[in-house]
């Protein structure tokens, strides 16, 4: 419903580097307030703005269903408008 999906890569280091993939709930993230185009992870240090995602640690899927900002491309907004107009 949010319009994106995030998977965290947890690397197990040693003789071989093995990745483990964990899906993370979309409520853990917030869009960047300045541009609205970069996803930030909510953290106790910064619960409103969030912190930028670490490179090589996240896999993001943001489908281009609608043009414009990715924050507006989720199904939750469309379903809410359809329900209100019902």
């Amino acid at each position: 419903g949010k319009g994106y999906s995030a998977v965290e890569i947890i690397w197990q280091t040693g003789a071989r580097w093995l990745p483990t993939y964990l899906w993370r709930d979309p409520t853990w993230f917030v869009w960047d307030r300045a541009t609205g185009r970069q996803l930030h992870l909510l953290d106790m240090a910064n619960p409103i703005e969030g912190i930028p995602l670490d490179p090589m640690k996240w896999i993001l899927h943001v489908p281009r269903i609608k043009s414009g900002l990715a924050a507006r491309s989720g199904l939750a907004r469309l379903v809410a408008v359809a329900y209100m107009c019902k």
Side-chain angles (χ1 to χ4, degrees), residues 7-49:
V7 176
E8 184 177 7
I9 304 172
I10 299 175
W11 293 97
Q12 298 172 3
T13 59
R16 291 178 54 184
W17 284 43
L18 298 172
T20 303
Y21 304 102
L22 294 174
W23 174 80
R24 297 300 184 192
D25 191 22
T27 58
W28 288 21
F29 303 95
V30 66
W31 291 102
D32 180 24
R33 290 182 183 258
T35 63
R37 298 188 186 280
Q38 186 179 18
L39 205 58
H40 285 193
L41 179 66
L42 292 176
D43 190 19
M44 295 298 285
N46 197 349
I48 297 173
E49 294 287 330

Side-chain angles (χ1 to χ4, degrees), residues 75-86:
L75 292 177
R77 183 182 301 253
L78 295 174
V79 170
V81 170
Y83 180 77
M84 290 188 312
C85 295
K86 181 178 141 182

